[in-house]
Amino acid sequence: MTLLSLCAFGGKAFAAGPMPAAAGDSFSAGAGLAYVPEYAGADKSRVIPLPFIERTFANGVFLSTMRGIGYQTQLGDFNLSGALSYDGGREDHKENYFSGSDALKGMGKIQGTAQAVLSVGYNIGTVGLSLSTKQNLSHREYGYTFALGASTALYTTASDQIGLSVSAEYGDKKHNQTYFGVTTTQSAASGYRAYTAKAGFNNLTAGLNWNHVINSSWSVYSAAGVTRLTSDAADSPLTKRKTTPMLMTGLIYKF
């Protein structure tokens, strides 16, 4: 489970998707905590640190620990974003409290890979729609994903903004096999039955996010959501829990 997956149901402060084109230069930094599964489908979760640094420029360029290095712009009613990011992969054993899971022993390591993240957003009234894709630039054998998302504001004041977001992720055959399938070699090493995962939607996510503005510099961002594995991902022998909660909170300072 990557931090970008966690932020899929997030809002502006820890955004992973397209945002409106920048109105000017800005710099924000913060830190928080996230409660996430050890891997997609794990029955154990853990608390991990969540650092955040983002620099945006008036010309649309951004540097972000969450979104990577990229460019965003507005074309008519559409918000467009493209970024170079990184996925840390998956360990096949518990390296430490923050990385890996012993439930994956014998499955082999999924290597980290550079990714191109392309997104487009469109607003219909108070509802924001988005379509994004993650394309591996290295280890292309790991496949690719597409995500459909929708978000809306539920409550807005000068100091508090509460929103609702939902998303669905589609993985091609290579991606779903990498993360949810079990080859005959992996089966012999891990004890899990051999399993072939086909292309299709692998998860649905819904969540609430709350941004509380303390003053012109400080704000607190929190989100709570739930992810439900679907289709072949839900039926995988690696999946021990189909529905998992995710929580996060962080303190943000805007310079």
Side-chain angles (χ1 to χ4, degrees), residues 29-57:
L33 297 172
Y35 179 75
V36 295
E38 290 185 342
Y39 66 92
D43 59 353
K44 295 181 180 179
S45 296
R46 58 190 168 209
V47 177
I48 61 174
L50 192 64
F52 173 76
I53 299 175
E54 180 159 295
R55 179 77 163 94
T56 62
F57 299 89

PDB file of all heavy atoms in Angstrom, residues 29-57:
ATOM      1  N   ALA A  29       5.221  22.644   4.134  1.00  0.00           N
ATOM      2  CA  ALA A  29       5.923  21.503   4.723  1.00  0.00           C
ATOM      3  C   ALA A  29       5.142  21.032   5.932  1.00  0.00           C
ATOM      4  O   ALA A  29       4.455  21.821   6.597  1.00  0.00           O
ATOM      5  CB  ALA A  29       7.347  21.881   5.116  1.00  0.00           C
ATOM      6  N   GLY A  30       5.238  19.749   6.217  1.00  0.00           N
ATOM      7  CA  GLY A  30       4.515  19.225   7.365  1.00  0.00           C
ATOM      8  C   GLY A  30       4.904  17.803   7.662  1.00  0.00           C
ATOM      9  O   GLY A  30       5.753  17.206   6.995  1.00  0.00           O
ATOM     10  N   ALA A  31       4.275  17.263   8.672  1.00  0.00           N
ATOM     11  CA  ALA A  31       4.538  15.884   9.070  1.00  0.00           C
ATOM     12  C   ALA A  31       3.283  15.334   9.734  1.00  0.00           C
ATOM     13  O   ALA A  31       2.497  16.071  10.334  1.00  0.00           O
ATOM     14  CB  ALA A  31       5.719  15.804  10.025  1.00  0.00           C
ATOM     15  N   GLY A  32       3.105  14.028   9.610  1.00  0.00           N
ATOM     16  CA  GLY A  32       1.934  13.404  10.214  1.00  0.00           C
ATOM     17  C   GLY A  32       2.145  11.919  10.395  1.00  0.00           C
ATOM     18  O   GLY A  32       3.260  11.410  10.290  1.00  0.00           O
ATOM     19  N   LEU A  33       1.047  11.241  10.643  1.00  0.00           N
ATOM     20  CA  LEU A  33       1.050   9.802  10.833  1.00  0.00           C
ATOM     21  C   LEU A  33      -0.064   9.188   9.989  1.00  0.00           C
ATOM     22  O   LEU A  33      -1.111   9.805   9.772  1.00  0.00           O
ATOM     23  CB  LEU A  33       0.834   9.442  12.309  1.00  0.00           C
ATOM     24  CG  LEU A  33       1.899   9.902  13.304  1.00  0.00           C
ATOM     25  CD1 LEU A  33       1.429   9.632  14.734  1.00  0.00           C
ATOM     26  CD2 LEU A  33       3.228   9.185  13.038  1.00  0.00           C
ATOM     27  N   ALA A  34       0.175   7.970   9.523  1.00  0.00           N
ATOM     28  CA  ALA A  34      -0.822   7.247   8.737  1.00  0.00           C
ATOM     29  C   ALA A  34      -0.957   5.822   9.252  1.00  0.00           C
ATOM     30  O   ALA A  34       0.041   5.193   9.617  1.00  0.00           O
ATOM     31  CB  ALA A  34      -0.428   7.219   7.260  1.00  0.00           C
ATOM     32  N   TYR A  35      -2.185   5.350   9.304  1.00  0.00           N
ATOM     33  CA  TYR A  35      -2.485   3.972   9.710  1.00  0.00           C
ATOM     34  C   TYR A  35      -2.933   3.224   8.471  1.00  0.00           C
ATOM     35  O   TYR A  35      -3.993   3.502   7.905  1.00  0.00           O
ATOM     36  CB  TYR A  35      -3.582   3.981  10.780  1.00  0.00           C
ATOM     37  CG  TYR A  35      -4.004   2.608  11.267  1.00  0.00           C
ATOM     38  CD1 TYR A  35      -3.193   1.875  12.136  1.00  0.00           C
ATOM     39  CD2 TYR A  35      -5.220   2.048  10.870  1.00  0.00           C
ATOM     40  CE1 TYR A  35      -3.589   0.628  12.598  1.00  0.00           C
ATOM     41  CE2 TYR A  35      -5.626   0.807  11.327  1.00  0.00           C
ATOM     42  CZ  TYR A  35      -4.810   0.099  12.193  1.00  0.00           C
ATOM     43  OH  TYR A  35      -5.208  -1.149  12.641  1.00  0.00           O
ATOM     44  N   VAL A  36      -2.094   2.283   7.989  1.00  0.00           N
ATOM     45  CA  VAL A  36      -2.340   1.611   6.718  1.00  0.00           C
ATOM     46  C   VAL A  36      -2.041   0.115   6.837  1.00  0.00           C
ATOM     47  O   VAL A  36      -1.287  -0.308   7.715  1.00  0.00           O
ATOM     48  CB  VAL A  36      -1.459   2.209   5.599  1.00  0.00           C
ATOM     49  CG1 VAL A  36      -1.831   3.653   5.325  1.00  0.00           C
ATOM     50  CG2 VAL A  36       0.020   2.115   5.976  1.00  0.00           C
ATOM     51  N   PRO A  37      -2.604  -0.710   5.937  1.00  0.00           N
ATOM     52  CA  PRO A  37      -2.277  -2.149   5.933  1.00  0.00           C
ATOM     53  C   PRO A  37      -0.818  -2.377   5.569  1.00  0.00           C
ATOM     54  O   PRO A  37      -0.191  -1.560   4.903  1.00  0.00           O
ATOM     55  CB  PRO A  37      -3.210  -2.717   4.847  1.00  0.00           C
ATOM     56  CG  PRO A  37      -4.247  -1.680   4.621  1.00  0.00           C
ATOM     57  CD  PRO A  37      -3.609  -0.366   4.917  1.00  0.00           C
ATOM     58  N   GLU A  38      -0.257  -3.528   6.004  1.00  0.00           N
ATOM     59  CA  GLU A  38       1.121  -3.857   5.655  1.00  0.00           C
ATOM     60  C   GLU A  38       1.281  -4.022   4.145  1.00  0.00           C
ATOM     61  O   GLU A  38       2.340  -3.726   3.587  1.00  0.00           O
ATOM     62  CB  GLU A  38       1.553  -5.133   6.372  1.00  0.00           C
ATOM     63  CG  GLU A  38       1.730  -4.952   7.876  1.00  0.00           C
ATOM     64  CD  GLU A  38       2.281  -6.192   8.554  1.00  0.00           C
ATOM     65  OE1 GLU A  38       2.212  -7.293   7.941  1.00  0.00           O
ATOM     66  OE2 GLU A  38       2.775  -6.077   9.682  1.00  0.00           O
ATOM     67  N   TYR A  39       0.237  -4.495   3.469  1.00  0.00           N
ATOM     68  CA  TYR A  39       0.186  -4.567   2.011  1.00  0.00           C
ATOM     69  C   TYR A  39      -1.274  -4.680   1.621  1.00  0.00           C
ATOM     70  O   TYR A  39      -2.135  -4.912   2.487  1.00  0.00           O
ATOM     71  CB  TYR A  39       1.008  -5.753   1.470  1.00  0.00           C
ATOM     72  CG  TYR A  39       0.462  -7.118   1.847  1.00  0.00           C
ATOM     73  CD1 TYR A  39      -0.429  -7.788   1.009  1.00  0.00           C
ATOM     74  CD2 TYR A  39       0.847  -7.743   3.025  1.00  0.00           C
ATOM     75  CE1 TYR A  39      -0.939  -9.041   1.350  1.00  0.00           C
ATOM     76  CE2 TYR A  39       0.350  -8.989   3.371  1.00  0.00           C
ATOM     77  CZ  TYR A  39      -0.546  -9.626   2.528  1.00  0.00           C
ATOM     78  OH  TYR A  39      -1.052 -10.870   2.864  1.00  0.00           O
ATOM     79  N   ALA A  40      -1.588  -4.512   0.364  1.00  0.00           N
ATOM     80  CA  ALA A  40      -2.979  -4.593  -0.081  1.00  0.00           C
ATOM     81  C   ALA A  40      -3.524  -6.003   0.160  1.00  0.00           C
ATOM     82  O   ALA A  40      -3.047  -6.959  -0.437  1.00  0.00           O
ATOM     83  CB  ALA A  40      -3.080  -4.238  -1.560  1.00  0.00           C
ATOM     84  N   GLY A  41      -4.487  -6.110   1.071  1.00  0.00           N
ATOM     85  CA  GLY A  41      -5.059  -7.405   1.409  1.00  0.00           C
ATOM     86  C   GLY A  41      -4.555  -7.982   2.714  1.00  0.00           C
ATOM     87  O   GLY A  41      -5.000  -9.052   3.144  1.00  0.00           O
ATOM     88  N   ALA A  42      -3.623  -7.291   3.379  1.00  0.00           N
ATOM     89  CA  ALA A  42      -3.067  -7.789   4.641  1.00  0.00           C
ATOM     90  C   ALA A  42      -4.095  -7.719   5.763  1.00  0.00           C
ATOM     91  O   ALA A  42      -4.998  -6.883   5.748  1.00  0.00           O
ATOM     92  CB  ALA A  42      -1.834  -6.982   5.023  1.00  0.00           C
ATOM     93  N   ASP A  43      -3.945  -8.603   6.742  1.00  0.00           N
ATOM     94  CA  ASP A  43      -4.825  -8.565   7.907  1.00  0.00           C
ATOM     95  C   ASP A  43      -4.201  -7.776   9.055  1.00  0.00           C
ATOM     96  O   ASP A  43      -4.817  -7.646  10.117  1.00  0.00           O
ATOM     97  CB  ASP A  43      -5.191  -9.975   8.369  1.00  0.00           C
ATOM     98  CG  ASP A  43      -3.971 -10.803   8.750  1.00  0.00           C
ATOM     99  OD1 ASP A  43      -2.828 -10.325   8.520  1.00  0.00           O
ATOM    100  OD2 ASP A  43      -4.142 -11.916   9.269  1.00  0.00           O
ATOM    101  N   LYS A  44      -2.980  -7.265   8.856  1.00  0.00           N
ATOM    102  CA  LYS A  44      -2.318  -6.454   9.862  1.00  0.00           C
ATOM    103  C   LYS A  44      -2.063  -5.060   9.312  1.00  0.00           C
ATOM    104  O   LYS A  44      -1.761  -4.896   8.119  1.00  0.00           O
ATOM    105  CB  LYS A  44      -0.992  -7.092  10.288  1.00  0.00           C
ATOM    106  CG  LYS A  44      -1.136  -8.425  11.001  1.00  0.00           C
ATOM    107  CD  LYS A  44       0.227  -8.970  11.412  1.00  0.00           C
ATOM    108  CE  LYS A  44       0.097 -10.307  12.133  1.00  0.00           C
ATOM    109  NZ  LYS A  44       1.428 -10.848  12.525  1.00  0.00           N
ATOM    110  N   SER A  45      -2.172  -4.064  10.186  1.00  0.00           N
ATOM    111  CA  SER A  45      -1.903  -2.678   9.804  1.00  0.00           C
ATOM    112  C   SER A  45      -0.836  -2.108  10.718  1.00  0.00           C
ATOM    113  O   SER A  45      -0.473  -2.704  11.731  1.00  0.00           O
ATOM    114  CB  SER A  45      -3.182  -1.835   9.890  1.00  0.00           C
ATOM    115  OG  SER A  45      -4.154  -2.281   8.956  1.00  0.00           O
ATOM    116  N   ARG A  46      -0.313  -0.942  10.354  1.00  0.00           N
ATOM    117  CA  ARG A  46       0.726  -0.311  11.159  1.00  0.00           C
ATOM    118  C   ARG A  46       0.633   1.205  11.011  1.00  0.00           C
ATOM    119  O   ARG A  46       0.027   1.725  10.074  1.00  0.00           O
ATOM    120  CB  ARG A  46       2.099  -0.799  10.723  1.00  0.00           C
ATOM    121  CG  ARG A  46       2.414  -0.548   9.259  1.00  0.00           C
ATOM    122  CD  ARG A  46       3.673  -1.273   8.852  1.00  0.00           C
ATOM    123  NE  ARG A  46       3.851  -1.299   7.409  1.00  0.00           N
ATOM    124  CZ  ARG A  46       4.480  -2.264   6.756  1.00  0.00           C
ATOM    125  NH1 ARG A  46       4.989  -3.290   7.416  1.00  0.00           N
ATOM    126  NH2 ARG A  46       4.625  -2.219   5.453  1.00  0.00           N
ATOM    127  N   VAL A  47       1.261   1.890  11.951  1.00  0.00           N
ATOM    128  CA  VAL A  47       1.344   3.349  11.911  1.00  0.00           C
ATOM    129  C   VAL A  47       2.700   3.736  11.333  1.00  0.00           C
ATOM    130  O   VAL A  47       3.733   3.235  11.776  1.00  0.00           O
ATOM    131  CB  VAL A  47       1.172   3.947  13.320  1.00  0.00           C
ATOM    132  CG1 VAL A  47       1.324   5.472  13.274  1.00  0.00           C
ATOM    133  CG2 VAL A  47      -0.189   3.580  13.892  1.00  0.00           C
ATOM    134  N   ILE A  48       2.686   4.593  10.321  1.00  0.00           N
ATOM    135  CA  ILE A  48       3.928   5.009   9.679  1.00  0.00           C
ATOM    136  C   ILE A  48       4.016   6.532   9.658  1.00  0.00           C
ATOM    137  O   ILE A  48       3.001   7.227   9.653  1.00  0.00           O
ATOM    138  CB  ILE A  48       4.035   4.471   8.231  1.00  0.00           C
ATOM    139  CG1 ILE A  48       2.878   5.001   7.370  1.00  0.00           C
ATOM    140  CG2 ILE A  48       4.069   2.954   8.226  1.00  0.00           C
ATOM    141  CD1 ILE A  48       3.002   4.641   5.907  1.00  0.00           C
ATOM    142  N   PRO A  49       5.231   7.092   9.654  1.00  0.00           N
ATOM    143  CA  PRO A  49       5.382   8.550   9.553  1.00  0.00           C
ATOM    144  C   PRO A  49       5.012   9.024   8.157  1.00  0.00           C
ATOM    145  O   PRO A  49       5.168   8.294   7.167  1.00  0.00           O
ATOM    146  CB  PRO A  49       6.868   8.763   9.845  1.00  0.00           C
ATOM    147  CG  PRO A  49       7.518   7.475   9.455  1.00  0.00           C
ATOM    148  CD  PRO A  49       6.518   6.397   9.784  1.00  0.00           C
ATOM    149  N   LEU A  50       4.513  10.234   8.061  1.00  0.00           N
ATOM    150  CA  LEU A  50       4.042  10.771   6.793  1.00  0.00           C
ATOM    151  C   LEU A  50       4.620  12.174   6.587  1.00  0.00           C
ATOM    152  O   LEU A  50       3.993  13.176   6.929  1.00  0.00           O
ATOM    153  CB  LEU A  50       2.516  10.819   6.788  1.00  0.00           C
ATOM    154  CG  LEU A  50       1.823  11.094   5.457  1.00  0.00           C
ATOM    155  CD1 LEU A  50       2.106   9.962   4.466  1.00  0.00           C
ATOM    156  CD2 LEU A  50       0.324  11.234   5.656  1.00  0.00           C
ATOM    157  N   PRO A  51       5.830  12.284   6.055  1.00  0.00           N
ATOM    158  CA  PRO A  51       6.414  13.609   5.800  1.00  0.00           C
ATOM    159  C   PRO A  51       5.791  14.257   4.575  1.00  0.00           C
ATOM    160  O   PRO A  51       5.339  13.564   3.653  1.00  0.00           O
ATOM    161  CB  PRO A  51       7.889  13.300   5.576  1.00  0.00           C
ATOM    162  CG  PRO A  51       7.872  11.904   5.003  1.00  0.00           C
ATOM    163  CD  PRO A  51       6.729  11.195   5.677  1.00  0.00           C
ATOM    164  N   PHE A  52       5.759  15.574   4.556  1.00  0.00           N
ATOM    165  CA  PHE A  52       5.165  16.279   3.421  1.00  0.00           C
ATOM    166  C   PHE A  52       5.935  17.556   3.139  1.00  0.00           C
ATOM    167  O   PHE A  52       6.119  18.395   4.021  1.00  0.00           O
ATOM    168  CB  PHE A  52       3.701  16.620   3.704  1.00  0.00           C
ATOM    169  CG  PHE A  52       3.061  17.494   2.643  1.00  0.00           C
ATOM    170  CD1 PHE A  52       2.683  16.951   1.439  1.00  0.00           C
ATOM    171  CD2 PHE A  52       2.859  18.847   2.862  1.00  0.00           C
ATOM    172  CE1 PHE A  52       2.108  17.740   0.453  1.00  0.00           C
ATOM    173  CE2 PHE A  52       2.280  19.645   1.891  1.00  0.00           C
ATOM    174  CZ  PHE A  52       1.901  19.095   0.681  1.00  0.00           C
ATOM    175  N   ILE A  53       6.418  17.711   1.915  1.00  0.00           N
ATOM    176  CA  ILE A  53       7.031  18.946   1.442  1.00  0.00           C
ATOM    177  C   ILE A  53       6.533  19.188   0.024  1.00  0.00           C
ATOM    178  O   ILE A  53       6.550  18.274  -0.810  1.00  0.00           O
ATOM    179  CB  ILE A  53       8.572  18.866   1.444  1.00  0.00           C
ATOM    180  CG1 ILE A  53       9.107  18.626   2.858  1.00  0.00           C
ATOM    181  CG2 ILE A  53       9.180  20.139   0.856  1.00  0.00           C
ATOM    182  CD1 ILE A  53      10.611  18.415   2.911  1.00  0.00           C
ATOM    183  N   GLU A  54       6.074  20.390  -0.249  1.00  0.00           N
ATOM    184  CA  GLU A  54       5.624  20.705  -1.611  1.00  0.00           C
ATOM    185  C   GLU A  54       5.947  22.152  -1.970  1.00  0.00           C
ATOM    186  O   GLU A  54       5.670  23.071  -1.207  1.00  0.00           O
ATOM    187  CB  GLU A  54       4.130  20.462  -1.776  1.00  0.00           C
ATOM    188  CG  GLU A  54       3.636  20.775  -3.184  1.00  0.00           C
ATOM    189  CD  GLU A  54       2.326  20.101  -3.536  1.00  0.00           C
ATOM    190  OE1 GLU A  54       2.309  18.862  -3.607  1.00  0.00           O
ATOM    191  OE2 GLU A  54       1.331  20.825  -3.698  1.00  0.00           O
ATOM    192  N   ARG A  55       6.563  22.302  -3.133  1.00  0.00           N
ATOM    193  CA  ARG A  55       6.878  23.620  -3.683  1.00  0.00           C
ATOM    194  C   ARG A  55       6.181  23.741  -5.018  1.00  0.00           C
ATOM    195  O   ARG A  55       6.355  22.901  -5.910  1.00  0.00           O
ATOM    196  CB  ARG A  55       8.397  23.743  -3.867  1.00  0.00           C
ATOM    197  CG  ARG A  55       8.843  25.091  -4.457  1.00  0.00           C
ATOM    198  CD  ARG A  55       8.812  26.174  -3.407  1.00  0.00           C
ATOM    199  NE  ARG A  55       9.595  27.334  -3.816  1.00  0.00           N
ATOM    200  CZ  ARG A  55       9.091  28.411  -4.438  1.00  0.00           C
ATOM    201  NH1 ARG A  55       7.794  28.453  -4.739  1.00  0.00           N
ATOM    202  NH2 ARG A  55       9.869  29.430  -4.736  1.00  0.00           N
ATOM    203  N   THR A  56       5.346  24.758  -5.154  1.00  0.00           N
ATOM    204  CA  THR A  56       4.665  25.001  -6.421  1.00  0.00           C
ATOM    205  C   THR A  56       5.094  26.353  -6.961  1.00  0.00           C
ATOM    206  O   THR A  56       5.398  27.282  -6.201  1.00  0.00           O
ATOM    207  CB  THR A  56       3.138  24.969  -6.264  1.00  0.00           C
ATOM    208  OG1 THR A  56       2.723  26.016  -5.361  1.00  0.00           O
ATOM    209  CG2 THR A  56       2.682  23.620  -5.707  1.00  0.00           C
ATOM    210  N   PHE A  57       5.090  26.460  -8.287  1.00  0.00           N
ATOM    211  CA  PHE A  57       5.496  27.691  -8.950  1.00  0.00           C
ATOM    212  C   PHE A  57       4.351  28.224  -9.804  1.00  0.00           C
ATOM    213  O   PHE A  57       3.474  27.456 -10.243  1.00  0.00           O
ATOM    214  CB  PHE A  57       6.725  27.441  -9.825  1.00  0.00           C
ATOM    215  CG  PHE A  57       7.928  26.965  -9.053  1.00  0.00           C
ATOM    216  CD1 PHE A  57       8.127  25.606  -8.831  1.00  0.00           C
ATOM    217  CD2 PHE A  57       8.842  27.869  -8.542  1.00  0.00           C
ATOM    218  CE1 PHE A  57       9.241  25.164  -8.120  1.00  0.00           C
ATOM    219  CE2 PHE A  57       9.951  27.437  -7.825  1.00  0.00           C
ATOM    220  CZ  PHE A  57      10.153  26.087  -7.610  1.00  0.00           C
TER     221      PHE A  57
END
